[in-house]
Amino acid sequence: MITWPRTYYTSHKHFDREREKIFENSWMCVARSSELPKPGSFLRVQVGGESVLLVRNRDGELRAHINLCRHRGVVLCSEDSGQFNTSIRCPYHGWTFDLNGQLVAAPFMNELPPETKERHLYSALVSEWLGYVWVNLDSNAAPLHEQLAPMLHNRFGDVDVPARYGCDELEVAKRETYEVEANWKILYENFCECYHCPTMHPEVCNILPEWRTGYGTVSGPTGPKIEGSKINEKAQGFSLSGRATSTPLPGVPEYDHRTFHGLLLWPNVHLMFIPDHVMCMRFEPVGPTKTRVIVDWLFHPTAISEPGFDPSDAAALVDVTARQDFEACEGVQAGAESAYFEEFHTPHESMITDFRRWVCAQLGDGIETSHVATPAEADALPA
Ligand code: FES
Ligand SMILES: [Fe+2]
């Protein structure tokens, strides 16, 4: 167990530190690739403290530009999404950048100093995985898979479970956005444990009875559960009514036709792999006490095109459960305002320690996993 001072959940100063060391220094999942469907498509996203302009170039490749003009630093694009033609033109003095961020024209270019021509847009690293766009503001960062590999291995061993669900091909059948008045770590820590499931989640426990034991799929009594959780024999699928929404996805093996796999990928993704769909929950830390949560329900295009296709029953189960979780998270956030705020972890909550160990490593806090910080030590940590 690692304990943190309550300021880790409340202070702007600590949030700024996390922004610098985590959100601007890690691969962050920021968008669905299909939101940038063709050359010239753009999408404005927030990564840590930076506005980033995702753009698909003429070759169909993604670019992530810092959304600032290299002339006088005005924000280049204030629209959330849209379509550029062949270039990005600054609204202030008209400098023009191609879709790769190269400065290609400026008024009176011949009269400007030669170094003007080198003032291209700053860019971030960009990668795609599971049909999502991932951005890293640290230009020296290791590739995305190096960040994800330890978490995937810890969860699924050597088996590439996510690959079976063909996430690249799936389409967003439904998206929901939630504004939660809680620190992003409180949300993450909630999804690290299922000790609260028997108390708070009767609907999901009906479908996944094993969750009544206080262990879900991300954490079992002896660590992560590679085999996942089984859907109740009386149910056909993972939905509020217990009905399946569609037939299982084409790559899912028969032995997983009644299996639910959960996956947490720090710092901002929570995935559920269900026989007929995938749910992706992304966290956008907005401030020390506020987090935006974007949930996508991904289905196969063939299923979506079937007459009568309706994802609402499947979505309702996650929606009702997530709202229960978010209400509890807001309660923890309110608790963190109290001078008496402290924690005690049961064995069911051991994954919180794994998460905190990763956060501490990113922050450079250097806390040993087995060490329980005393209140005095916790207070001495940088806030
Ligand atoms: S600030 Fe963009 S062209 Fe001047
Ligand atoms: Fe929950």
Side-chain angles (χ1 to χ4, degrees):
M1 175 170 155
I2 294 170
T3 60
W4 278 333
R6 65 194 178 92
T7 49
Y8 268 40
Y9 300 106
T10 57
S11 114
H12 283 271
K13 198 170 151 198
H14 185 71
F15 185 77
D16 287 347
R17 198 164 153 248
E18 290 179 335
R19 191 154 70 183
E20 180 195 344
K21 305 269 190 179
I22 298 178
F23 316 138
E24 298 180 357
N25 207 17
S26 309
W27 287 98
M28 300 289 284
C29 181
V30 294
R32 186 81 187 146
S33 303
S34 59
E35 292 178 82
L36 296 129
K38 55 185 182 185
S41 297
F42 74 85
L43 190 67
R44 197 166 54 102
V45 296
Q46 191 72 17
V47 184
E50 300 295 341
S51 172
V52 172
L53 201 52
L54 299 176
V55 181
R56 201 172 284 286
N57 72 10
R58 306 311 298 171
D59 299 323
E61 294 163 346
L62 280 180
R63 296 284 181 263
H65 305 305
I66 306 301
N67 187 18
L68 282 187
C69 180
R70 290 298 312 285
H71 173 217
R72 291 264 299 287
V74 73
V75 168
L76 262 181
C77 177
S78 51
E79 287 171 52
D80 287 339
S81 62
Q83 186 68 33
F84 294 126
N85 189 3
T86 53
S87 58
I88 308 165
R89 187 164 185 269
C90 178
Y92 199 174
H93 310 90
W95 280 24
T96 302
F97 305 88
D98 70 15
L99 299 181
N100 290 319
Q102 303 285 299
L103 179 69
V104 289
F108 318 112
M109 183 67 107
N110 294 342
E111 300 169 27
L112 306 183
E115 62 268 29
T116 308
K117 292 196 172 71
E118 303 304 316
R119 296 191 70 78
H120 310 304
L121 296 182
Y122 288 121
S123 292
L125 301 181
V126 61
S127 197
E128 289 177 84
W129 185 62
L130 300 182
Y132 280 92
V133 183
W134 305 66
V135 167
N136 196 325
L137 288 174
D138 174 10
S139 52
N140 296 315
L144 171 64
H145 67 85
E146 284 190 32
Q147 176 179 305
L148 300 175
M151 291 179 264
L152 287 165
H153 188 267
N154 187 41
R155 179 69 190 79
F156 295 126
D158 291 329
V159 183
D160 189 355
V161 170
R164 297 171 174 169
Y165 291 76
C167 295
D168 289 345
E169 289 175 31
L170 305 185
E171 292 177 5
V172 179
K174 185 174 170 61
R175 171 173 285 187
E176 200 74 57
T177 301
Y178 305 83
E179 306 286 344
V180 186
E181 301 294 327
N183 183 277
W184 70 281
K185 300 188 297 301
I186 292 177
L187 268 69
Y188 233 98
E189 291 168 358
N190 167 77
F191 290 108
C192 283
E193 52 94 0
C194 209
Y195 186 50
H196 66 270
C197 296
T199 307
M200 283 204 1
H201 298 320
E203 296 84 359
V204 86
C205 287
N206 273 343
I207 304 298
L208 302 172
E210 188 185 15
W211 286 22
R212 295 197 183 105
T213 65
Y215 290 105
T217 49
V218 292
S219 64
T222 55
K225 290 217 306 284
I226 291 172
E227 69 275 20
S229 288
K230 291 297 169 196
I231 291 171
N232 183 353
E233 281 169 19
K234 295 187 196 114
Q236 285 82 50
F238 187 77
S239 68
L240 195 57
S241 73
R243 285 190 292 271
T245 303
S246 176
T247 52
L249 294 166
V252 177
E254 209 170 328
Y255 57 78
D256 265 352
H257 278 191
R258 304 189 63 79
T259 309
F260 172 107
H261 293 290
L263 174 64
L264 293 168
L265 295 171
W266 304 317
N268 85 320
V269 173
H270 174 208
L271 290 152
M272 294 179 183
F273 299 96
I274 301 138
D276 59 0
H277 69 284
V278 172
M279 185 238 48
C280 177
M281 187 179 278
R282 285 188 286 127
F283 303 102
E284 280 185 16
V286 178
T289 62
K290 192 173 171 64
T291 306
R292 184 170 301 121
V293 183
I294 300 119
V295 180
D296 290 340
W297 286 269
L298 306 166
F299 282 84
H300 198 274
T302 312
I304 292 173
S305 63
E306 295 280 340
F309 169 79
D310 183 0
S312 58
D313 190 16
L317 182 54
V318 169
D319 179 74
V320 75
T321 308
R323 287 179 194 276
Q324 292 158 349
D325 284 323
F326 299 155
E327 193 180 337
C329 291
E330 290 180 343
V332 176
Q333 185 67 52
E337 297 295 335
S338 165
Y340 291 87
F341 180 74
E342 62 166 6
E343 301 171 283
F344 178 85
H345 291 182
T346 71
H348 311 76
E349 296 160 293
S350 63
M351 189 179 261
I352 293 177
T353 298
D354 298 341
F355 169 63
R356 291 188 183 182
R357 187 197 306 135
W358 183 88
V359 172
C360 286
Q362 303 309 113
L363 295 175
D365 275 359
I367 298 179
E368 295 297 325
T369 312
S370 56
H371 181 67
V372 181
T374 64
E377 286 169 328
D379 282 343
L381 290 167

